[in-house]
Structures are given as structure tokens and as C-alpha cells.
Amino acid sequence: MKKCTAIIGTSLLALALSVPAFAAEKPISVYVNGTNLTFPAGTPYLDNNSVLVPFRVVFEKLGMQVLWDASTGTVTGTSSSLTISLKIGSKLATVNGTVKKLTVAPVSSNGTTYIPLRFVAEATGGTAVWDASGRSVKITTAASTAATDEQAITALIRQAVQYYNEEKTISYYSLIDDADSFSDQISSLNNFFQNYDIKTTIEELKVLSIQGNEATAYTVEKEIRTGGYYLPDERSEYLYSLVRVNGTWKISEITNEDRTVLLTKEQGMKSAGAPQGQADIIKDNLSKYFLAMTAKNVDATLAQMYSYGEDYDAESRTSLQEFFSEYDLSYALNQSNVFYYANGEAAVYAETTVKDAETGENVEQPMLFIFYQTQTGTWMIDDFYYLD
């Protein structure tokens, strides 16, 4: 996210000390879990949109022991699980040994070391909210925010799934961090909603970690087709990455960790009532596909696959060439059945035996294939899934 910074004019001496004088402005107040802190050694001030404060009071209020090394100008705060070190004049700090970059460096003035308040608050797992009109910073420590954050993250994910089920694209992306940069994805999701009807149910939701303004959550989601073009029912595991933006949690990334197609052999072997001639053509094309795969014939394999244009075909060709050069596999199609047939689509359940020529190992592999019928009436493979 881009942030605008305001440069406040000061004298050269004040700039060098990084302690500008604001005699006419209201003093900055700092609250930790509602308690107004008192700073005997100096006064908090604003520099480059960062509030700097005398270090000792803040570290101790956040439950940390303080070590000051005058020879290096380094201040260190420690607790049972955390060590934070900052050095006067350096924009690099360490948190448990990991280097972090600061917006402003700690400074020394009149024997007092000032440190950036937000960095320390967030490094300890808390939050810091700046109230410009009241010139105050309100810090909430991790212990106080964990339960609230977990509730907010859980509600956010459930709201995202609800918007998805309701096919509300704009509302869905309002929950995404930096959604303005996802114009292509918004268009793609709208197109998906026009062609597919999927209803998602959250079966499991866990918040795995909350660290400052970042969090991760895990879900198990059941996705059931209710209409539109064919997609198999699935159970998927997702990892959500989240960030806190201006005090509000947003989804930054969703990663599919695993998925299982919910199709049994009994379901796959049921008849779809497809015309016998069409079903025979579809199954014959599937046989040709496996023969081409066994022969490592790229052209013959691609001849059975649906084309989405030159770029798509080129990528598919490259992928097949790499696959054939790396693996020496042969395929036997044991049985197949068209279990879904409607509107120029067909879904085929297939049982195959895959043999690895290098090891001699045979693997029985059930699969699901989706076929599309072209304008010329030809049936082509559009997608396939491995079944457990």
C-alpha cells in the first residue's frame, strides 16, 4: 500500500537531533491497554509520520526487561520469548535475530534515547493506532487483542465464503488487500460466476497464528456443484494469509494446499443416459489419448485435447515434452463410463493401470475426465482429475 508522507520544516539543528519543537501543538499521549503513560525522561514527538518515545517506559510497560549499551548506543528489550534490539542512528533493528527495517532510526537527545513506538508495539505482537485529531497513540497488547483478532479473522473468512456463494464479486474483493490491483481477477471471477454454480461450506476453520499485523488461517471447505457447466464436487484445504490494514483485517492470499474429488466408483459407473453412439465416440477418444501418452506422441496427445488458442497449445506442448523426457510410463485403460452428459459436456470415470518402465511398478489409478464437444461435433478432453 502506498503511503503519503508529510515533511515538516525544521531548523537544521532540530533536524539533526530529530526532535522538532512544536510548542503550539498539543502533546502526544500514549496509551497501553487504556493506561496513559508518563515519560519522565522526555516528551513523545512526531517525525516523518512516526511517533518516537523514550524507550524505557514503553519496553517496561510491554513486559520487557531493558538493557542499555552506552558504548554502542544500543537498546535491547527482552522477555521469555522475544528480544528486540535498536541502535541510535540505524534504520535496521533485530527481532529475535531477524533484521527488520525501520521507517525512522532511533535518536538521542539531551541524554534520552527515542525509539519508534509503532515498531516496538507490533514487534511484541500488539497494535498501535494513531489518532491525528487527538494526537494520541493507543496500543493494545497481544494478550488483549488475540481473542478479538481471532473472532475478526474468522468472521472475515466466513463473510468471504458467503459473498462467493452469493456471487457478489465486488463485495468479495472488498475483503481483499489492495483489491484495486486485481482488476483481471475480478473480471475472471465474474466470468466464472456466469458459467458455474458452486456452493461452498466451511467444514473446519482454524486461526493458526497472529503476529502483529499478519495472520494465517486454515480451512477445510466442501464445494458442491449446483448448476452451470460441469465441475466435480471437491473437498479442499486452504491456507489464508491475512494482513491488518488501518486496523481492519484483509485477505492477502489464499493457497490451495490439497483437494479431493468427491466421486466414488459407484457414482462414476452410473449411466448418464448419453446416446450410445456419442458415448462410444467419447470412450474411443479416451482410448486414443492413452495410446498417444504411452507412445509419447505429443501431436497425437494434443489432438485429443481441447484447444484454447496458440499460446495455450504451445504451453501444453512444452509441458508434454518435458513430461515425456522425464518419465517412461505406459497406460492401460481398463474400463470407462460416461456418468454425466448434458449441453455439449461429458464427464467420464476411468480406471487405468500405469506402469513405470524404470521400476517395473504398476499403479491402479482411477481418474475423471471432462470432455467438451466442439462446433464440428468432435469430443475433446478439457480437463482431468486423479481420484483417491
Side-chain angles (χ1 to χ4, degrees):
M1 301 293 289
K2 296 182 178 178
K3 297 181 180 179
C4 297
T5 58
I7 302 175
I8 303 172
T10 63
S11 67
L12 290 177
L13 177 60
L15 181 61
L17 295 176
S18 295
V19 187
F22 295 106
E25 291 185 312
K26 178 182 177 182
I28 293 175
S29 299
V30 176
Y31 297 85
V32 175
N33 295 334
T35 301
N36 190 359
L37 302 189
T38 301
F39 296 91
T43 303
Y45 69 94
L46 192 65
D47 178 32
N48 195 27
N49 281 355
S50 293
V51 174
L52 283 87
V53 298
F55 71 88
R56 186 172 298 277
V57 172
V58 171
F59 270 127
E60 291 179 349
K61 188 64 178 178
L62 293 175
M64 307 190 77
Q65 295 181 337
V66 182
L67 175 65
W68 165 248
D69 186 343
S71 62
T72 61
T74 302
V75 58
T76 302
T78 61
S79 67
S80 60
S81 61
L82 184 65
T83 299
I84 305 172
S85 292
L86 306 96
K87 185 176 181 180
I88 293 174
S90 175
K91 286 189 175 182
L92 298 180
T94 61
V95 178
N96 284 346
T98 300
V99 177
K100 302 288 185 178
K101 191 172 182 179
L102 305 174
T103 304
V104 295
V107 299
S108 178
S109 176
N110 297 325
T112 298
T113 297
Y114 291 78
I115 60 174
L117 179 60
R118 180 182 294 276
F119 174 81
V120 175
E122 293 180 351
T124 57
T127 62
V129 178
W130 166 248
D131 179 1
S133 60
R135 288 182 62 79
S136 66
V137 181
K138 295 180 180 179
I139 295 174
T140 307
T141 60
S144 300
T145 62
T148 301
D149 283 338
E150 185 165 340
Q151 291 174 357
I153 290 168
T154 299
L156 170 66
I157 293 173
R158 292 191 181 280
Q159 184 67 76
V161 170
Q162 180 180 332
Y163 284 151
Y164 190 89
N165 285 337
E166 294 171 351
E167 300 187 351
K168 295 180 178 179
T169 305
I170 300 302
S171 296
Y172 176 82
Y173 271 94
S174 72
L175 308 179
I176 307 297
D177 179 38
D178 200 18
D180 292 341
S181 64
F182 292 97
S183 58
D184 290 344
Q185 288 89 331
I186 291 174
S187 177
S188 296
L189 186 56
N190 272 326
N191 185 65
F192 179 86
F193 287 153
Q194 290 174 5
N195 293 289
Y196 298 92
D197 293 321
I198 305 294
K199 297 304 178 189
T200 299
T201 302
I202 297 178
E203 296 187 330
E204 184 178 351
L205 197 166
K206 294 180 181 178
V207 177
L208 301 180
S209 68
I210 303 174
Q211 296 182 341
N213 288 326
E214 297 182 352
T216 56
Y218 163 86
T219 65
V220 178
E221 302 178 21
K222 189 175 182 180
E223 299 148 345
I224 303 299
R225 174 182 176 269
T226 59
Y229 291 136
Y230 179 83
L231 280 178
D233 297 341
E234 293 184 295
R235 178 175 285 107
S236 296
E237 298 178 32
Y238 292 103
L239 190 66
Y240 285 75
S241 298
L242 308 104
V243 295
R244 195 197 320 262
V245 182
N246 297 324
T248 301
W249 286 104
K250 298 276 190 176
I251 298 169
S252 60
E253 186 177 10
I254 305 174
T255 305
N256 190 313
E257 297 292 300
D258 191 25
R259 68 180 186 181
T260 301
V261 175
L262 303 177
L263 181 71
T264 65
K265 178 176 181 178
E266 290 71 24
Q267 292 170 329
M269 291 304 295
K270 289 183 178 180
S271 174
Q276 188 60 47
Q278 296 297 318
D280 289 341
I281 292 173
I282 292 169
K283 292 194 286 185
D284 182 60
N285 286 356
L286 185 59
S287 297
K288 291 178 181 177
Y289 169 81
F290 281 116
L291 289 173
M293 290 287 291
T294 300
K296 297 185 178 182
N297 188 324
V298 174
D299 290 333
T301 302
L302 289 175
Q304 302 304 320
M305 298 173 62
Y306 194 87
S307 171
Y308 285 95
E310 293 182 1
D311 291 342
Y312 176 87
D313 292 345
E315 291 180 6
S316 298
R317 178 177 294 277
T318 299
S319 296
L320 278 171
Q321 290 170 339
E322 292 175 351
F323 180 83
F324 289 149
S325 65
E326 185 173 356
Y327 299 99
D328 188 5
L329 305 177
S330 60
Y331 304 83
L333 178 59
N334 303 323
Q335 64 176 332
S336 61
N337 177 65
V338 178
F339 68 90
Y340 174 86
Y341 184 92
N343 303 318
E345 286 186 297
V348 180
Y349 172 81
E351 291 185 351
T352 64
T353 300
V354 184
K355 182 176 182 179
D356 188 329
E358 182 177 349
T359 64
E361 181 182 5
N362 289 333
V363 176
E364 303 300 320
Q365 179 63 68
M367 299 181 69
L368 185 163
F369 286 83
I370 299 176
F371 280 77
Y372 281 172
Q373 189 174 30
T374 67
Q375 293 181 347
T376 61
T378 304
W379 286 96
M380 312 290 286
I381 296 171
D382 180 68
D383 204 354
F384 65 87
Y385 302 80
Y386 292 107
L387 305 178
D388 293 334

